[in-house]
Amino acid sequence: MSTAILAQRPVTRQQAMFFGLIGAGLLLLGVVSGAVIKAQGWLPFGGNENKVPIYVAADQRTSQALTLNTGFSAVAKAVTPAVVTVETQARTRPMPQMPFFGDPFDFFRRGFPGLPDDNDQQPRRRTPRQAPEGRGRLQPSGIGSGVIVSPDGYILTNNHVVEGADKVEVVLNDSRRFTARVVGTDAPSDIAVLKIGQTSLPTIPLGDSNAVEVGDVVLAIGNPLGVGQTVTMGIISAKGRSTRAGSGSYEDFLQTDAAINRGNSGGALVNLKGELIGIPSQILSQTGGNIGIGFAIPTAMARNVMDQLIRSGKVTRGKLGITISALAPEIAEQFGYKGTKGALVQDVEAGQPAERAGVRPGDIITEFQGQRIEDDVQLRNLVAQTAPGTTVRFKIFRDGAERELTATLGELEVKTASSRGGSSPGEPGSALVGVQVENLTAETARRLNLPVTARGVVITDIDSDSPAADAGLQRGDLIVEVNRQPVTSVSEFNTALQRAGKKSVLLRVRRADGARFVVIEPRE
């Protein structure tokens, strides 16, 4: 009612001017605000009027994140076609009779007569793929990854991926499968080169691993645990790492927190330029799974080994003829040396280049070919990567002063090992003298009633008069750890024993009824 009364009253001239000024002010404010909003890009002026307004200024961070995400996916798309799955097969061999194990399926066959019997005498059809009598059948023995590094089919992978294999197959990203030829392997660096008969293949260019910095973002590509090609992301956590897995290995690892698991071995570690900077090789884990500490062989080392394997099928390394170790602070103090950077000469081999150059036990090597030495691992790698016959210059610290020496490198002798992966009955000087082991195959795992995921080495023979027998070890036991370190092959087992020396050895042993720890005490 009040509204109707107000509407019937005439509007005065003063009121009209007042409301007109207010309206003009509001119109001006609207025009200015609209111009500012359009300039800032806050609303989609000039576009579809029904479009939802976007506050672009606040979304600049989102835009940057989307750009970064696109960068990661672009790298992944570029490199994944060149990462392959490597599948290996090995021929089964007759196992020794195992008195405490026998055939684990016997109990079930007695309860379920319909279960097939390996000893069934009824004739069976012999298929063309069956191996001749006595040679054994091919059985899956392992899975890993590889990287195509040349369009004509050269593939870089780990030695431990193909070690002991009788047949190697490569599965490309597009599911094509090819039988691969092993061009060459090098156990000390854990590098192997394969070849398939194809051309125009996708590749990953080799980058400069020496230019990598701690904190750089990297992608790891491989086939972890056999689930299929997987891409993970992380950073370079450290450089120049050594796990000291054995005295015969050469290590200069890139450490990364990108998720790496079993099966990633031999795959690709790439930078954001899509360049190969490392080959994943090891993980540090108490469970066998990823805990964010993975190690990759840098391409600087892998390239050198690969080129030699392709060129001659073997790797030659330089030799000075010295035994070296890291420099402990208390030792450095005794020699009057400041700091711990360098390599301490423990012994000098008679008649070798170092002795002829004048090196003595107690010398501290501080520089090699113009490069300052951080520790013994670095020096060992530098010498090994230098071709035999090369004249090298290096500096030593002795009697309070540095001096420069010159030597012509010799050639490091290559110790050959069985390609099948069997071990001799024990390692001299170890607590496990009298034990013979072999790599675990799928057939052996089935006979021992072990899970398909089991990894380790199987005891195939044991001396009844040995410390191992005293501790209760038996034929058929699966050794999965030596001194809390996982072992998945005979070479890793032997390396672990060499590290243990004459000290007691802690084993983790798996049987059909479970796993247990066993301590082997050496005899006097």
Side-chain angles (χ1 to χ4, degrees):
M1 183 176 180
S2 61
T3 303
I5 294 175
L6 288 175
Q8 293 174 359
R9 294 177 182 177
V11 178
T12 66
R13 183 178 180 183
Q14 290 82 359
Q15 289 175 328
M17 292 180 63
F18 175 75
F19 286 118
L21 289 174
I22 292 178
L26 290 173
L27 179 62
L28 179 61
L29 179 62
V31 172
V32 173
S33 299
V36 172
I37 290 172
K38 182 175 181 180
Q40 294 297 323
W42 293 343
L43 292 174
F45 283 87
N48 185 353
E49 299 300 328
N50 296 324
K51 184 181 288 186
V52 177
I54 300 175
Y55 193 94
V56 178
D59 268 1
Q60 287 179 354
R61 291 187 297 271
T62 303
S63 177
Q64 293 171 355
L66 290 173
T67 301
L68 185 63
N69 179 70
T70 303
F72 289 151
S73 61
V75 174
K77 289 178 181 177
V79 300
T80 50
V83 181
V84 302
T85 296
V86 179
E87 297 179 357
T88 61
Q89 299 179 42
R91 294 195 182 277
T92 59
R93 293 190 290 175
M95 289 288 294
Q97 187 63 34
M98 301 176 187
F100 294 97
F101 287 89
D103 186 347
F105 288 88
D106 282 347
F107 171 80
F108 296 98
R109 291 194 181 99
R110 288 194 294 270
F112 302 90
L115 194 65
D117 189 343
D118 286 344
N119 297 319
D120 189 355
Q121 298 302 313
Q122 295 182 2
R124 300 178 183 178
R125 179 175 297 177
R126 183 183 179 91
T127 63
R129 292 176 62 86
Q130 187 172 350
E133 195 68 20
R135 290 184 58 192
R137 294 173 298 173
L138 282 172
Q139 295 286 344
S141 58
I143 187 170
S145 303
V147 184
I148 304 174
V149 292
S150 72
D152 57 345
Y154 281 103
I155 297 171
L156 195 59
T157 186
N158 283 147
N159 171 73
H160 75 260
V161 169
V162 299
E163 184 180 31
D166 292 305
K167 183 178 181 180
V168 179
E169 289 188 316
V170 169
V171 184
L172 302 189
N173 183 249
D174 59 10
S175 299
R176 287 184 294 166
R177 180 182 295 266
F178 303 97
T179 298
R181 174 174 63 89
V182 179
V183 176
T185 62
D186 182 58
S189 65
D190 196 22
I191 289 294
V193 177
L194 310 177
K195 179 73 164 63
I196 59 175
Q198 296 294 306
T199 58
S200 303
L201 292 171
T203 64
I204 299 181
L206 270 62
D208 182 6
S209 59
N210 293 325
V212 172
E213 298 291 344
V214 173
D216 284 355
V217 176
V218 291
L219 302 181
I221 306 97
N223 187 349
L225 305 174
V227 300
Q229 191 176 82
T230 302
V231 180
T232 56
M233 185 193 75
I235 64 170
I236 296 296
S237 307
K239 298 173 59 178
R241 285 287 197 237
S242 172
T243 61
R244 299 183 184 266
S247 59
S249 60
Y250 291 89
E251 301 174 344
D252 185 27
F253 291 126
L254 299 174
Q255 181 181 326
T256 179
D257 65 349
I260 294 175
N261 288 284
R262 297 184 187 277
N264 274 105
S265 292
L269 188 72
V270 302
N271 59 21
L272 294 187
K273 296 179 181 179
E275 298 171 333
L276 186 71
I277 58 170
I279 303 293
S281 175
Q282 295 183 23
I283 60 173
L284 181 62
S285 174
Q286 295 179 336
T287 63
N290 171 64
I291 60 171
I293 304 178
F295 302 97
I297 303 166
T299 51
M301 178 181 291
R303 185 199 300 266
N304 177 46
V305 174
M306 178 185 69
D307 289 345
Q308 292 192 61
L309 290 176
I310 293 175
R311 184 170 58 249
S312 62
K314 65 177 184 178
V315 178
T316 58
R317 293 183 167 90
K319 178 182 179 180
L320 265 177
I322 53 177
T323 302
I324 55 177
S325 68
L327 191 60
E330 59 272 17
I331 297 295
E333 184 178 356
Q334 291 294 323
F335 284 98
Y337 182 77
K338 294 183 179 180
T340 58
K341 292 185 178 181
L344 176 64
V345 178
Q346 299 280 9
D347 196 13
V348 180
E349 191 174 343
Q352 293 300 314
E355 185 191 52
R356 292 194 293 268
V359 178
R360 304 176 190 171
D363 287 346
I364 299 172
I365 299 181
T366 59
E367 185 176 299
F368 182 84
Q369 292 288 73
Q371 187 167 344
R372 299 300 292 181
I373 299 302
E374 297 290 325
D375 55 27
D376 57 316
V377 174
Q378 179 195 17
L379 175 61
R380 187 166 177 270
N381 289 336
L382 289 174
V383 174
Q385 292 174 20
T386 306
T390 303
T391 299
V392 297
R393 295 181 178 275
F394 57 100
K395 291 182 180 180
I396 63 169
F397 177 88
R398 181 195 301 167
D399 298 331
E402 265 191 343
R403 63 188 69 185
E404 186 173 272
L405 301 178
T406 302
T408 300
L409 296 183
E411 182 175 343
L412 189 66
E413 296 178 4
V414 178
K415 297 181 180 179
T416 58
S418 169
S419 61
R420 184 62 183 86
S423 74
S424 60
E427 294 298 308
S430 78
L432 283 181
V433 172
V435 173
Q436 184 170 348
V437 299
E438 288 186 356
N439 292 331
L440 180 67
T441 65
E443 176 66 14
T444 304
R446 185 189 71 81
R447 288 186 176 276
L448 297 178
N449 201 23
L450 296 171
V452 294
T453 57
R455 297 291 184 272
V457 293
V458 181
I459 297 179
T460 58
D461 199 11
I462 186 169
D463 186 353
S464 59
D465 184 23
S466 66
D470 293 343
L473 291 184
Q474 305 166 356
R475 286 182 292 178
D477 282 351
L478 180 69
I479 300 175
V480 297
E481 288 181 6
V482 177
N483 287 337
R484 304 303 302 274
Q485 294 298 315
V487 292
T488 60
S489 66
V490 171
S491 61
E492 291 181 2
F493 174 78
N494 289 336
T495 296
L497 292 186
Q498 292 172 4
R499 293 181 63 189
K502 296 183 179 181
K503 299 178 181 179
S504 60
V505 178
L506 176 65
L507 303 180
R508 190 164 185 261
V509 179
R510 180 178 291 278
R511 296 175 181 170
D513 59 349
R516 68 200 70 188
F517 285 101
V518 178
V519 177
I520 311 298
E521 296 288 353
R523 291 178 179 175
E524 294 297 327

